């Protein structure tokens, strides 16, 4: 997580881990310049566990793959990842294919390129039903917040 968003993000992450009844570990990362980020350490215990990395956007996949390796080095049994928006630019697919990641689950908010569609580690979930339900609820003047809790 970026340090400037850590307190807010930590709170929502804790809520998610409680809802799922799972432990929470956080990867501390440093961002020296735009589009360059380095995962530096794990805060929490992942030893012997299946780790799932959550991210909002994956662009070049450097931080994602580095984070996966750090989790494995910290004793995780295996590492999976998911993200809402898969930009997957530049070396992203090659990095994902060569990484220790077992899988990367993404949504279809951004169409995947040819290489990404053929990457055996990437699975795509559609957000169509979710967006349709949100539109229906807005049209009926119902709450949409329950869709995202």
């Amino acid at each position: 997580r970026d340090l400037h968003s850590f307190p807010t993000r930590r709170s929502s992450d804790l809520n998610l881990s409680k809802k799922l009844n799972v432990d929470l570990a956080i990867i501390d990362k440093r961002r020296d310049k735009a589009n360059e980020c380095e995962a530096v350490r794990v805060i929490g215990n992942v030893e012997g566990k299946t780790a799932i990395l959550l991210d909002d956007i994956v662009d070049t996949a450097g931080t994602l793959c580095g984070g996966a390796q750090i989790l494995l080095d910290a004793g995780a049994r295996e590492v999976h990842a998911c993200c809402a928006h898969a930009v997957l630019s530049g070396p992203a697919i090659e990095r994902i294919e060569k990484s220790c990641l077992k899988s990367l689950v993404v949504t279809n908010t951004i169409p995947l390129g040819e290489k990404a569609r053929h990457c055996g580690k990437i699975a795509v979930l559609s957000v169509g039903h979710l967006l349709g339900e949100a539109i229906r609820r807005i049209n009926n003047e119902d709450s949409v917040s329950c869709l995202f809790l």
Side-chain angles (χ1 to χ4, degrees):
R1 302 280 187 217
D2 295 324
L3 292 178
H4 71 277
S5 65
F6 187 74
T8 305
R9 298 292 294 269
R10 184 178 59 188
S11 174
S12 63
D13 291 344
L14 284 171
N15 288 338
L16 179 62
S17 70
K18 285 179 184 176
K19 278 187 177 201
L20 297 176
N21 195 29
V22 296
D23 294 331
L24 172 69
I26 295 172
I27 296 177
D28 183 22
K29 67 183 187 181
R30 305 283 183 227
R31 184 179 306 275
D32 293 328
K33 16 180 161 162
N35 228 18
E36 287 186 26
C37 193
E38 179 186 8
V40 292
R41 67 183 172 129
V42 176
I43 302 167
N45 180 20
V46 296
E47 193 167 336
K49 299 176 181 175
T50 297
I52 301 172
L53 280 167
L54 303 174
D55 211 343
D56 52 354
I57 296 174
V58 174
D59 187 359
T60 63
T63 303
L64 181 74
C65 295
Q69 188 60 54
I70 284 176
L71 288 167
L72 216 55
D73 293 346
R77 191 175 62 241
E78 61 184 30
V79 182
H80 299 266
C82 56
C83 76
H85 311 292
V87 176
L88 303 178
S89 67
I93 302 307
E94 289 79 14
R95 285 177 174 167
I96 292 165
E97 287 175 336
K98 291 177 183 176
S99 77
C100 62
L101 280 172
K102 294 287 185 181
S103 67
L104 171 61
V105 179
V106 303
T107 68
N108 63 347
T109 59
I110 298 174
L112 294 182
E114 188 70 23
K115 280 185 175 180
R117 284 195 302 273
H118 291 98
C119 178
K121 291 186 177 184
I122 297 175
V124 181
L125 296 178
S126 175
V127 296
H129 179 75
L130 178 65
L131 293 176
E133 181 61 17
I135 291 167
R136 186 192 69 74
R137 287 173 175 267
I138 291 167
N139 188 55
N140 292 337
E141 298 182 6
D142 292 333
S143 171
V144 294
S145 61
C146 66
L147 296 174
F148 305 101
L149 300 176

